[in-house]
Amino acid sequence: MNIQWYPGHMTKAKRAMKEDIKLIDLIIELVDARVPLSSRNPDIDELGAGKARIVLLNKSDLSDERCNSAWESYFEAKGCYVVKVNSKSGAGLKQINGVVQEACKEKIERDRRRGILNRPVRAMVVGIPNVGKSTFINSFAGKACTKTGNRPGVTKGNQWIRLNKSLELLDTPGILWPKFEDQQVGIRLALIGSVNDEILNKDELAMELIRFLTKKYPRVLSERYGIETEDALEALMQVAQARACLAKGGELDLVKASNLLIDDFRSGKLGRMTLELPAQ
């Protein structure tokens, strides 16, 4: 299964980020806690070289808590501050102001020595499409500052948002990178909704999810759908049967079953799970 998606507006957005990076003190990077490495744009490390970094493990309520701890340690070892958050419920957001001050304490102290008092920290909020940047900003600000949506590509341009006297945020569009060298990365991003659903073969994607679940969370399919096979196609057919996904003439509708299975994963109905772990 080959997945590639890089709309033209992403090239423009990356150019704008290169210009704006000169104005900021801190990068706040949102990743999806279910796929923390796959949901990082590798270009951000180059763009943000020398800047203070905070990684927000967003949607951490949907990911496996045991894996969350492993990923916290992974990013901290790379010099990043890490906060687990759920942007929709607001969980973890109260910690962020304190972490921002800690991450930027050298900059704040430098300003103080120069006689510059009360200049707000300027933070660029970055992340791939549909990782929850706009929801995070609106929840963090306590008001609707940006458009949100459950599809990738809602934010189209950069936008400055003054949260308080000590912090300004620059919201940026979600950008991917031109080519997924590892197709497993593309599959993981498709599963969390960061790739446009319209370009995907949903039944192939659903079978990839089934193969992963069979290996890593073997009881999930049995408990939710009554599936007792390890064959991906047969399992998908059993999902269709269990949920009465039927086409005209009573035939099994595998596309409908695929959408149902993927939606159950994305919404957390299959339980808390993480699709990747840090390399040992």
Side-chain angles (χ1 to χ4, degrees):
M1 186 175 186
N2 190 284
I3 296 172
Q4 302 293 343
W5 187 56
Y6 192 69
H9 75 269
M10 291 186 180
T11 302
K12 182 180 177 183
K14 184 180 175 183
R15 281 200 301 267
M17 285 175 67
K18 279 185 176 179
E19 288 300 311
D20 290 331
I21 205 82
K22 304 166 189 172
L23 307 173
I24 65 108
D25 310 300
L26 168 71
I27 293 176
I28 299 176
E29 180 181 11
L30 275 82
V31 301
D32 189 306
R34 296 166 295 181
V35 289
L37 199 57
S38 293
S39 60
R40 293 192 83 202
N41 186 332
D43 294 338
I44 299 301
D45 283 339
E46 181 184 345
L47 284 171
K51 303 291 183 180
R53 303 287 293 274
I54 296 176
V55 172
L56 302 184
L57 290 171
N58 196 28
K59 307 183 183 181
S60 58
D61 57 311
L62 299 177
S63 55
D64 192 323
E65 183 57 38
R66 295 167 300 175
C67 301
N68 286 346
S69 298
W71 282 111
E72 280 185 283
S73 299
Y74 172 86
F75 287 119
E76 285 169 354
K78 291 189 172 295
C80 300
Y81 292 83
V82 186
V83 184
K84 292 185 296 184
V85 300
N86 174 357
S87 295
K88 281 190 175 180
S89 71
L93 298 188
K94 288 182 179 178
Q95 301 177 46
I96 294 174
N97 274 316
V99 176
V100 167
Q101 295 300 306
E102 177 65 22
C104 294
K105 63 182 179 183
E106 290 183 12
K107 173 260 174 198
I108 294 168
E109 183 56 36
R110 229 175 14 249
D111 282 352
R112 190 176 288 119
R113 286 198 299 268
R114 294 171 181 168
I116 303 169
L117 302 177
N118 302 319
R119 183 172 83 77
V121 170
R122 290 178 169 174
M124 178 183 282
V125 181
V126 301
I128 66 170
N130 211 34
V131 80
K133 292 189 310 303
S134 297
T135 300
F136 158 69
I137 289 172
N138 291 341
S139 296
F140 193 38
K143 59 185 178 181
C145 303
T146 66
K147 292 181 180 179
T148 63
N150 61 357
R151 67 188 192 281
V154 174
T155 303
K156 295 295 186 185
N158 292 2
Q159 176 184 1
W160 279 103
I161 299 151
R162 188 178 178 107
L163 288 190
N164 51 52
K165 291 181 180 179
S166 63
L167 182 60
E168 293 180 354
L169 298 182
L170 177 60
D171 186 23
T172 61
I175 57 171
L176 294 169
W177 51 105
K179 185 177 181 183
F180 304 137
E181 300 294 344
D182 180 356
Q183 272 305 295
Q184 286 301 308
V185 170
I187 289 166
R188 291 178 194 127
L189 295 184
L191 284 169
I192 65 169
S194 291
V195 174
N196 189 343
D197 277 344
E198 293 175 7
I199 72 164
L200 300 173
N201 184 322
K202 282 297 198 61
D203 50 354
E204 283 190 34
L205 185 62
M207 286 190 283
E208 291 284 356
L209 177 58
I210 287 168
R211 292 184 189 104
F212 170 81
L213 294 174
T214 300
K215 187 176 179 182
K216 298 295 184 181
Y217 296 92
R219 296 175 59 186
V220 166
L221 293 173
S222 173
E223 290 173 355
R224 184 155 182 86
Y225 308 109
I227 291 171
E228 299 296 346
T229 179
E230 293 189 2
D231 181 81
L233 178 57
E234 179 64 28
L236 186 57
M237 292 170 69
Q238 289 184 21
V239 171
Q241 290 171 333
R243 292 295 185 265
C245 298
L246 303 175
K248 288 182 180 179
E251 292 184 8
L252 296 176
D253 188 335
L254 296 187
V255 173
K256 186 176 180 181
S258 299
N259 283 322
L260 184 147
L261 176 62
I262 293 167
D263 287 345
D264 279 358
F265 164 73
R266 289 177 179 174
S267 65
K269 290 178 181 176
L270 298 183
R272 297 179 64 170
M273 52 188 63
T274 298
L275 301 185
E276 62 184 358
L277 281 169
Q280 300 300 316

